[in-house]
Amino acid sequence: MDDMRPPPRPPGFQHLPKKTRKRLKREGLSIIQPADLRQLMDDRDIRETKGTGREGPFKLSDDGIVLMLCWDGKEPVFTQLLQIADWEELCGPVRDQLKHIICWAYSSTDLMHPSPGCSLLSSCTWYLSSNVHPYMLGKDESAQPRHTCYGCTTTDALEHIKRDGVPRELSGYRQFSCRKVPPSVRNPNIHIDSYRIFDTLQEALAHLPKQPIGATLIEFSDLWKLGEEDIYEGPLTAGSVFLGYHGVVIIRIMRFRGKLVAICKSSNGTRVGTKGYFRVSLSALYMVLCCGDEKAEFVRATPSPQPLLSCFICPIYNEPEPQPIRKRKWLPWKKYHESRKRRQCLSHGDDQVASSSGDVLKSKHKKENKQKKKQRSG
């Protein structure tokens, strides 16, 4: 989580048109005119928003605590990715984290399925929950009563797997109590070589044909109300309330109902979204304008416009060691000619000539040349 916190509600909010403020209070979402943005943002931020190829109006999303500016921007141009293979089967079945706050453990282990020689058996999320940050057990106030699970990041989980490994998920222990020690704690035999972090959505999508990508999805209450034919647009949905951030895995992108969307695997069972998968809009953008003290610790500041997906990462297997650049060795003409003749002799099976000294080769070549001259003169 970023150390930067969003600012408090700006005084200029009270100078917005009354219609805008009334609609925000009633529906939680309202269109705002570009001229009114100066009441909430400085000139630099306004230039940032206008440079995203906006399509449609600017909108304000307000749940009474978190105020966001949101809009539809220009879609990433990755038409070749529309035809790539689907990573759904290789990422394994959709699991259910129940009421544990360990989506980061599920997303990190789902990323490891397409590794070389890896079976479709899942890695143990219970083990990660107990061992990535053991000092956090029972200290996260957002956990359910009597739960010891805690919020974390996919980056920390992959760093632990790289350093200490993770065991397989034992059959019969997919649902567990986070207050107990996992039975597989003594066998963390699965490792990764490293992991790669992508700074932008474009970089992550460019890598998607090679393997699935882990990401953080900004979570609004509308996410858990999606039907099988719906697209998740975050703050662009009226009445949707900010809840936090959710770890997912991007398995492919597609065009659905004319919009470019990312198909994201969740860890909340098959009853949410489309059998456990969400269609996330790739054109929706947002900026956090302000946040009350109640959620200031949990809301990440956005110095620039952000897509609904962020914090992109993937594991790396069998990372090749850097090799020194070898310079080509140039031979003198005579030595090159001799080595070339020697290779010709080997290709014709003349081992004796090829293994002899350079003088013998020269004498043989001279005899052959004399014979050729005689044949030509004759």
Side-chain angles (χ1 to χ4, degrees), residues 300-321:
R300 303 173 186 177
T302 53
S304 60
Q306 297 293 318
L308 301 181
L309 293 161
S310 60
C311 304
F312 308 100
I313 191 171
C314 70
I316 297 176
Y317 308 94
N318 301 323
E319 187 175 17
E321 297 181 357

Side-chain angles (χ1 to χ4, degrees), residues 337-356:
H337 183 71
E338 292 175 5
S339 63
R340 182 170 177 268
K341 289 293 183 181
R342 188 176 290 108
R343 291 196 301 270
Q344 289 178 353
C345 292
L346 284 173
S347 64
H348 289 86
D350 196 348
D351 297 339
Q352 184 177 358
V353 175
S355 60
S356 61

Side-chain angles (χ1 to χ4, degrees), residues 98-101 140-149 178-179:
L98 300 177
K99 296 182 179 181
H100 302 297
I101 51 173
D140 195 321
E141 296 180 357
S142 60
Q144 293 288 324
R146 301 184 63 191
H147 277 231
T148 60
C149 51
C178 58
R179 298 192 303 272

Side-chain angles (χ1 to χ4, degrees), residues 41-61:
M41 309 168 68
D42 56 28
D43 292 339
R44 186 193 68 84
D45 290 340
I46 293 175
R47 287 194 299 269
E48 290 267 3
T49 59
K50 292 182 177 180
T52 57
R54 175 173 59 94
E55 298 180 0
F58 285 120
K59 295 182 179 180
L60 284 179
S61 173

